[in-house]
Amino acid sequence: MRIHIATDHAGLEFSTQLQHHLASQGHEVIDHGPVEYDPLDDYPAFCIRAAQAVVDDQRAGVAALGVVFGGSGNGEQIAANKVEGIRAALVWNLSTAELAREHNDANVIAIGARQHTFEDVTRFIDRFIQTPFSNDERHVRRIAQIGAYERDGALVDGPAPRTMS
């Protein structure tokens, strides 16, 4: 599988170690930066490029996922989710890694490098990569609703908002 990786200065060491880990498992790893430590770097461009590459590969029929890192992973997840077709999930344990793929067909995982050990991070990412999407009808339906809104702002009718007084 092709794995696209991006980070900022907070995740640079993890990113380098992870690239070796994933390559040793036979994955093709594409690094979208940064390539050197800069405590003032900005993660959005790195993460958006990685996310766009995941979408481009998937549309071309190439099996691909993405991994984005930062201090908390929050900003990196937000940046990746700005790319149409990306479902980036913030992961903090094995269960969230598995459910991100199984229920949400997430194609990018976001992790806080300052929140976890490298051993935990590799376990989360390995589980994320190994877990298939369930294809359960309710999950397919929900993902389609998100995609429709992303494309053209279409919302499925639901109950009207309520005001509590």
Side-chain angles (χ1 to χ4, degrees):
M1 175 166 309
R2 187 174 292 163
I3 309 292
H4 294 276
I5 294 181
T7 188
D8 68 357
H9 60 278
L12 188 57
E13 184 178 333
F14 269 35
S15 177
T16 302
Q17 291 178 290
L18 180 64
Q19 289 176 54
H20 294 293
H21 170 78
L22 292 170
S24 75
Q25 293 183 332
H27 298 293
E28 177 186 2
V29 181
I30 311 286
D31 182 8
H32 293 272
V35 295
E36 59 186 37
Y37 182 81
D38 176 358
L40 300 177
D41 64 8
D42 296 319
Y43 60 83
F46 302 130
C47 295
I48 289 169
R49 279 196 296 268
Q52 187 62 58
V54 169
V55 168
D56 291 346
D57 277 349
Q58 290 180 336
R59 287 180 179 156
V62 176
L65 294 172
V67 179
V68 294
F69 285 102
S72 70
N74 284 307
E76 293 74 18
Q77 176 201 25
I78 291 167
N81 273 320
K82 296 301 179 186
V83 175
E84 183 179 343
I86 288 297
R87 290 174 305 283
L90 181 65
V91 168
W92 61 90
N93 62 26
L94 288 173
S95 178
T96 57
E98 189 171 310
L99 291 171
R101 291 284 301 136
E102 192 174 86
H103 289 189
N104 306 111
D105 198 18
N107 49 10
V108 172
I109 185 175
I111 299 176
R114 293 182 177 149
Q115 314 300 315
H116 308 284
T117 66
F118 179 72
E119 291 73 25
D120 284 342
V121 167
T122 56
R123 287 191 0 250
F124 302 162
I125 293 168
D126 289 346
R127 178 71 57 93
F128 179 77
I129 292 169
Q130 295 163 359
T131 302
F133 177 50
S134 70
N135 279 305
D136 183 22
E137 186 275 329
R138 67 189 169 123
H139 300 308
V140 170
R141 182 181 67 243
R142 293 167 185 164
I143 292 167
Q145 291 172 13
I146 293 167
Y149 181 79
E150 186 175 55
R151 281 187 307 280
D152 58 24
L155 285 175
V156 172
D157 288 334
R162 298 181 300 156
T163 302
M164 302 299 286
S165 42

